Amino acid sequence: MRRKHGGGGRIEEVVMLTKFCPRCRSKLIPLGDVSCPGCTSDRHKLYDSTRRDKRTAEFYQSPEWAAVKQAVHYKYHGLCLYSLFEMNRVEQAYSVHHIEPLRDAWEKRLDIDTLIPLTASAHSLIEQMDKIAAKALCYGLLKKWKEKFTPEGG
């Protein structure tokens, strides 16, 4: 994809790196994206109907979750904390992970202090970890952020 931007009286050509969606293989998407919007939506609908209980599926479609998810991305400037602190890379977070699983701590589902922004690959990695190790890692990443980037943290 090519886009022309006019900044400061001159025209620059910006080339965006793209790839084919790995699911449908028919749409070009930005290189950092996991899949095209259509495939992402289909994948979430399938997951909701086969793996999630009704209450959880409804929660992830709620305006309250959308607002909290947006607040988490804003708080951490859209960055994946795993990539930042574990890999020394700056990557945009697309997912917000519940450190305390909903099935174990439904009352904390909107608690920003138990949510962490992650890339899709970091989210997948953490989901596959031992539950106790994953919690320790995630809370440790939140602590590092607080110590490094907030006035009261350090």
Side-chain angles (χ1 to χ4, degrees):
M1 291 183 192
R2 295 180 183 270
R3 294 185 181 152
K4 295 199 178 207
H5 295 275
R10 57 179 198 198
I11 296 177
E12 293 179 15
E13 187 173 18
V14 177
V15 178
M16 181 187 306
L17 298 176
T18 60
K19 65 180 180 180
F20 281 102
C21 171
R23 288 183 169 70
C24 67
R25 300 189 189 283
S26 65
K27 295 185 181 97
L28 284 175
I29 60 173
L31 194 58
D33 287 4
V34 177
S35 63
C36 68
C39 289
T40 300
S41 175
D42 292 346
R43 184 172 57 93
H44 289 299
K45 285 178 188 173
L46 178 64
Y47 187 84
D48 283 348
S49 67
T50 59
R51 304 276 313 270
R52 284 195 177 125
D53 63 80
K54 187 175 180 178
R55 180 173 76 159
T56 302
E58 287 175 357
F59 166 71
Y60 280 121
Q61 300 303 317
S62 72
E64 293 83 12
W65 171 242
V68 169
K69 185 176 175 182
Q70 184 177 16
V72 170
H73 284 296
Y74 181 79
K75 179 178 180 176
Y76 298 104
H77 306 280
L79 298 174
C80 170
L81 299 192
Y82 181 86
S83 298
L84 185 65
F85 294 117
E86 294 295 308
M87 300 167 56
N88 290 324
R89 291 178 19 189
V90 175
E91 293 187 281
Q92 184 176 357
Y94 294 100
S95 299
V96 173
H97 174 68
H98 282 93
I99 300 171
E100 304 288 339
L102 292 182
R103 67 186 163 277
D104 299 338
W106 180 257
E107 69 283 355
K108 293 183 180 181
R109 68 192 178 281
L110 298 173
D111 182 353
I112 288 182
D113 295 329
T114 65
L115 300 169
I116 184 169
L118 300 168
T119 62
S121 58
H123 194 200
S124 179
L125 179 83
I126 287 172
E127 286 288 343
Q128 294 171 21
M129 291 175 68
D130 170 74
K131 193 188 290 188
I132 295 170
K135 281 184 184 184
L137 173 64
C138 290
Y139 282 125
L141 295 171
L142 293 178
K143 183 178 178 185
K144 284 180 184 180
W145 175 273
K146 187 175 182 180
E147 290 169 351
K148 190 162 185 142
F149 296 110
T150 61
E152 67 274 4

